[in-house]
Short mmCIF file of all heavy atoms in Angstrom, two decimals:
data_model
loop_
_atom_site.label_atom_id
_atom_site.label_comp_id
_atom_site.label_asym_id
_atom_site.label_seq_id
_atom_site.Cartn_x
_atom_site.Cartn_y
_atom_site.Cartn_z
N SER A 75 90.39 119.71 111.94
CA SER A 75 89.59 120.27 113.02
C SER A 75 89.96 121.73 113.28
O SER A 75 90.92 122.27 112.73
CB SER A 75 89.79 119.46 114.30
OG SER A 75 91.14 119.57 114.74
N ASN A 94 102.42 119.23 94.50
CA ASN A 94 101.31 118.68 95.28
C ASN A 94 101.76 118.11 96.61
O ASN A 94 101.04 117.33 97.24
CB ASN A 94 100.52 117.62 94.50
CG ASN A 94 99.30 118.21 93.80
OD1 ASN A 94 98.84 119.30 94.14
ND2 ASN A 94 98.77 117.50 92.83
N GLY A 115 101.84 114.11 115.82
CA GLY A 115 101.29 112.80 115.52
C GLY A 115 100.37 112.81 114.32
O GLY A 115 100.36 111.88 113.51
N GLN A 138 114.25 126.54 106.25
CA GLN A 138 114.70 125.30 106.87
C GLN A 138 113.60 124.25 106.78
O GLN A 138 112.50 124.44 107.29
CB GLN A 138 115.09 125.54 108.33
CG GLN A 138 116.29 126.46 108.51
CD GLN A 138 117.58 125.81 108.04
OE1 GLN A 138 117.75 124.58 108.10
NE2 GLN A 138 118.52 126.62 107.58
N GLN A 146 109.28 108.72 111.15
CA GLN A 146 110.44 109.52 111.56
C GLN A 146 110.44 110.85 110.83
O GLN A 146 109.72 111.04 109.85
CB GLN A 146 111.74 108.77 111.27
CG GLN A 146 111.94 108.43 109.80
CD GLN A 146 113.09 107.47 109.58
OE1 GLN A 146 114.25 107.85 109.64
NE2 GLN A 146 112.74 106.18 109.37
N ALA A 202 106.44 100.71 117.60
CA ALA A 202 106.70 100.38 119.01
C ALA A 202 105.68 99.35 119.50
O ALA A 202 104.55 99.33 119.08
CB ALA A 202 106.63 101.64 119.84
#
Side-chain angles (χ1 to χ4, degrees):
S75 64
N94 265 342
Q138 295 291 329
Q146 59 191 284

